[in-house]
Amino acid sequence: MSWILALPIAIPFLTAVLAYLLRERPAGRWVSVGGSAVLLLAAVVLMRAVLEEGVVAGQMGGWPAPFGITLVADRLSAVMVVITAITGLAVSIYALGEITKRVAYLGYHALFQVLIAGVTGAFLTGDLFNLYVWFEVMLIASFGLLILGGTRAQLDGGIKYVTLNLVSTVLFLSGIGLLYGLTGTLNLADLSIAVAQVENQGLLTVVAMMFMFAFGVKAAVFPLFFWLPASYHTPSFAVSAVFAGLLTKVGVYALIRMFTLVFDHDIAFTHTILLWVAGFTMVTGVLGAAAQSDFRKILSFHIVSQIGYMILGLALMTPMALLGAVFYLVHHIIVKANLFLIAGVAHRIAGGTELARIGGLYKTAPLLAFLFLIPAFSLAGFPPLSGFWAKFLLVKAALEVQGWIIAGVALAVGLLTIYSMTKIWAQAFWEPHPGGHDPRLSDMSGFERRALLIPIGALAAMTIVIGFFPEPFVQFATAAAADLLEPSAYIAAVLGGAPS
Amino acid sequence: METLIAIAIGILTAAAVYLMLARNVLRFIFGLLLLSNAANLLIFTAGRLTQGAPPLIPKGADIPPEGVANALPQALVLTAIVIGFGLFAFALVLIFRAYTGLGTLDSDDMRVAEPKEQGR
C-alpha cells in the first residue's frame, strides 16, 4: 500500500535527475512536463485510494510507527498533493515558453522538480522531523530557483528570502528538540496522544508558539511576511507562480496540521493569537498591495492578505471554518499561480510589469484580458467564481460564532482587493500603452503562445468549474474538515489498530 | 550536566542574536550559524544526557542491552548538522555574490528589489 504514498515524492526526484542529465538538450524541458504529468496521475491514484478507504498510511523501511518514518495521506494531504501536481504541470508547460536555454542549462528544470518533491513530501509525511527535512529540500530548491540568472534584483531579494527563512528553520528545529524532550516522540499521530500526558502544559504552549512562529514565517503571516514582497517579484515568472501558489501554502498546511492534530490543548490561548494574526495579515497585506504600482508586487502583497483568510479558518476551529480554510487553500493556489503566469505574458508582450509603463492590453490582446478577469475577480470574491464561495464560507463561519468584527474585516479586505485588481485592470489593460506600442499576443511565436496560454486557460477553466459547481468540492472539504477536527481515524491509521 | 549545557545554549543564543541584529549580512550569517549550533545542542540535550554505552546491538540479540545511550537524538542532530552545513555554504556563497554584485554588505543599502526608505 505504501507505494502509492511514496510515488508522489519519488516521481519528481527521478524527473529531476533525468532533467539534469538532459539539461543541454531540447528534450530536457519536455522531461519536466512528462514527469509532472506522471505525478498528476500518481496524485489522482492516491486521491482515489483516500476517497475509497479513508486515511492511507504507510511505514517506510518497514519500521512500525512511531519508530519509523510514516507517510500518511488524509483528505487534506491528498487534495494538496493533487493541487501541487496540477500547479506543477501547468508551470512546467509554461516554462517551455519562458525559460531560456541558459537558465535551463543552469538546472532550472531539475531544481523545479526537486521543489515539487519537497512540497509533496511535506504534505505526505506523518513525522515531524521528516517534515523538517522536506522543508529543507523545498527551501534549498527554492533558493536556487530564486537566484537562477543572478540579476542584481534577484541577489537582493534572495538575501532577504534566504536569511529570514533560515531563521524560521532554526526555530522550527529548536521547537522539534523541545517537543521531543517533552514527549519522547516525533510521530505526529503519536504526538497527538502524547501531548495530553505532558505535565508541564505551560511549556507545551511555549513550544507551540515556537512552531507558530516558524510556520508563520513560511506562511508569510503578519508580522513575519517581509521576505515575501521583497523577493517574489524578482525571479522568472514561472518561478514566482509556483512560489506564489505553493510555498506559503506549505506553511499554512503545516500550521493547520500542527494546530489541529498536536497543539489543541490550549485553544483559547493559541487560537486567539491566530485570530489576531489572521485579521492583521489580511489588512496589512491588502493595504500594502494598495500602495504598490508593479503588477507582481501587488500580487505578492495579495498573497499575504489571502493567507490571512486561511489562518482565520484555522483560528475559529469550527467545522464550518476549517471547511472554508481547506476550500480557500485549493481555490487560492489555482488562482494565484494563474495571476502570476498572466503577469508573465503581460511582461512578455507589453515590455514590463511596472504598471505605469505598460497598457493597452485590453484593446490589442483581449484574450489575455479575459483570462486575467477570471482569476482577478475570483481573488476578489465575485460570485459565482471560486473565490466567492471560499470567502462566503469563511465569513459565514465567523458569523456563526458571533465574530462580527473579524467577519467585517474579511468583507472589507475583499472590497480593497477589488480596488487593487481594478488598478491593474485600468493601468495595464484599459489605458493606452504609454510608449504608443500595441502589445499583441501574435508578437510571440506560435509555440510560445501555446506554451504560455494553455496553462493559463486550463487554470482559469478550473476556477470557473469550482465556481459553478462548488457542491462536490464543498462536500469534500467538509469531510476533510471533519477529519481534522476528529483525528482518531488519522491516529488509528498511523499507529495501527481498528479504524474507528 | 544538563544545567551546564543549558547555560551554554543560552550563551550561544545570546551571542547569535547579538550578531544577527547587525546590519552587516556577514555578521548575520555568522549569528545564524551559532544559532543553528545552539539548536543542535538543544536537540541533543532534550534527548537526555546519559553516560550510557554506545547503542550497539550485540550479535544474535534483537534488542540492545540495558543502559545504552538514546540513539535517536544523535541521528537527528547528525541530519540537522548536514542540512545546516549545506544551507550555510549556500548562504555564504550568496552573500559573496551579493557583495560582488551589489557592492555592499549593509542590509540597509540593499535596495535594488525594494524602494528606498525616505530620508536616506
Side-chain angles (χ1 to χ4, degrees), chain A residues 44-387:
Chain A
V44 170
V45 170
L46 176 65
M47 176 60 114
R48 276 195 54 170
V50 169
L51 284 178
E52 277 168 17
E53 303 165 28
V55 183
V56 179
Q59 317 299 337
M60 295 302 116
W63 293 87
F67 306 108
I69 289 172
T70 308
L71 290 184
V72 47
D74 63 349
R75 284 191 179 80
L76 177 61
S77 301
V79 75
M80 294 310 284
V81 170
V82 170
I83 209 78
T84 303
I86 292 175
T87 318
L89 182 59
V91 173
S92 54
I93 295 174
Y94 188 90
L96 293 176
E98 197 210 352
I99 297 303
T100 57
K101 267 205 185 111
R102 180 171 159 266
V103 174
Y105 176 72
L106 291 172
Y108 165 84
H109 296 293
L111 281 171
F112 177 78
Q113 292 294 334
V114 173
L115 180 79
I116 297 289
V119 172
T120 51
F123 288 146
L124 285 175
T125 185
D127 182 279
L128 197 53
F129 196 79
N130 199 230
L131 180 65
Y132 163 77
V133 174
W134 290 123
F135 263 101
E136 298 311 297
V137 170
M138 191 176 90
L139 212 55
I140 195 78
S142 71
F143 289 171
L145 286 174
L146 186 65
I147 58 159
L148 215 56
T151 63
R152 294 180 71 221
Q154 278 178 305
L155 289 172
D156 186 4
I159 288 261
K160 286 149 196 174
Y161 179 84
V162 168
T163 48
L164 289 178
N165 272 293
L166 287 181
V167 173
S168 122
T169 294
V170 174
L171 267 161
F172 184 12
L173 197 57
S174 309
I176 290 176
L178 289 174
L179 196 58
Y180 178 69
L182 279 174
T183 60
T185 181
L186 287 172
N187 184 295
L188 288 177
D190 202 24
L191 270 175
S192 173
I193 303 167
V195 287
Q197 291 146 9
V198 172
E199 285 169 24
N200 195 341
Q201 291 283 318
L203 193 54
L204 196 62
T205 308
V206 174
V207 177
M209 294 312 294
M210 289 181 79
F211 278 99
M212 195 190 287
F213 184 93
F215 294 144
V217 174
K218 310 270 182 202
V221 299
F222 175 87
L224 310 165
F225 62 81
F226 296 100
W227 55 270
L228 193 152
S231 58
Y232 269 26
H233 60 283
T234 57
S236 61
F237 288 86
V239 172
S240 6
V242 77
F243 279 18
L246 295 176
L247 288 200
T248 46
K249 261 52 80 185
V250 180
V252 176
Y253 167 84
L255 274 174
I256 291 180
R257 183 63 80 205
M258 288 305 281
F259 283 85
T260 54
L261 185 62
V262 179
F263 298 122
D264 55 354
H265 60 286
D266 193 2
I267 287 182
F269 180 75
T270 49
H271 287 61
T272 307
I273 295 179
L274 283 173
L275 190 63
W276 282 92
V277 164
F280 276 111
T281 308
M282 284 191 257
V283 173
T284 45
V286 85
L287 290 181
Q292 298 299 320
S293 58
D294 179 284
F295 205 143
R296 267 204 286 189
K297 283 185 187 169
I298 293 178
L299 294 179
S300 299
F301 271 102
H302 273 297
I303 301 174
V304 176
S305 161
Q306 308 282 313
I307 295 290
Y309 284 94
M310 299 165 211
I311 305 296
L312 166 64
L314 171 62
L316 294 174
M317 204 54 183
T318 61
M320 180 60 113
L322 281 171
L323 143 69
V326 173
F327 193 93
Y328 211 108
L329 264 172
V330 173
H331 133 79
H332 176 85
I333 291 176
I334 297 175
V335 164
K336 201 78 219 190
N338 202 7
L339 281 170
F340 272 90
L341 296 181
I342 293 166
V345 179
H347 173 84
R348 184 63 166 268
I349 59 176
T353 52
E354 192 66 39
L355 287 180
R357 283 205 248 143
I358 58 175
L361 287 166
Y362 175 66
K363 202 170 132 210
T364 48
L367 176 64
L368 187 68
F370 173 69
L371 287 173
F372 170 76
L373 275 187
I374 295 167
F377 278 174
S378 178
L379 191 75
F382 270 42
L385 294 163
S386 60

Side-chain angles (χ1 to χ4, degrees), chain B:
Chain B
M1 195 62 191
E2 267 93 350
T3 324
L4 270 179
I5 302 268
I7 292 171
I9 295 173
I11 294 173
L12 268 178
T13 311
V17 171
Y18 174 75
L19 280 172
M20 285 163 64
L21 290 176
R23 289 199 316 218
N24 186 319
V25 283
L26 197 59
R27 279 176 172 243
F28 179 93
I29 208 72
F30 285 142
L32 202 63
L33 186 65
L34 287 186
L35 194 64
S36 66
N37 282 328
N40 290 340
L41 272 179
L42 180 73
I43 297 179
F44 193 58
T45 320
R48 305 293 182 273
L49 298 172
T50 47
Q51 290 188 324
L56 297 174
I57 303 174
K59 217 170 189 178
D62 282 339
I63 50 165
E66 286 288 309
V68 298
N70 186 353
L72 185 69
Q74 301 181 16
L76 299 186
V77 169
L78 208 58
T79 316
I81 288 175
V82 173
I83 293 177
F85 180 74
L87 290 177
F88 180 73
F90 176 86
L92 213 54
V93 174
L94 175 66
I95 285 173
F96 177 70
R97 275 290 280 125
Y99 178 64
T100 49
L102 304 170
T104 178
L105 280 176
D106 189 330
S107 54
D108 276 3
D109 292 336
M110 292 186 179
R111 286 277 154 202
V112 182
E114 289 176 287
K116 286 192 173 56
E117 274 173 60
Q118 301 293 316
R120 269 184 65 87

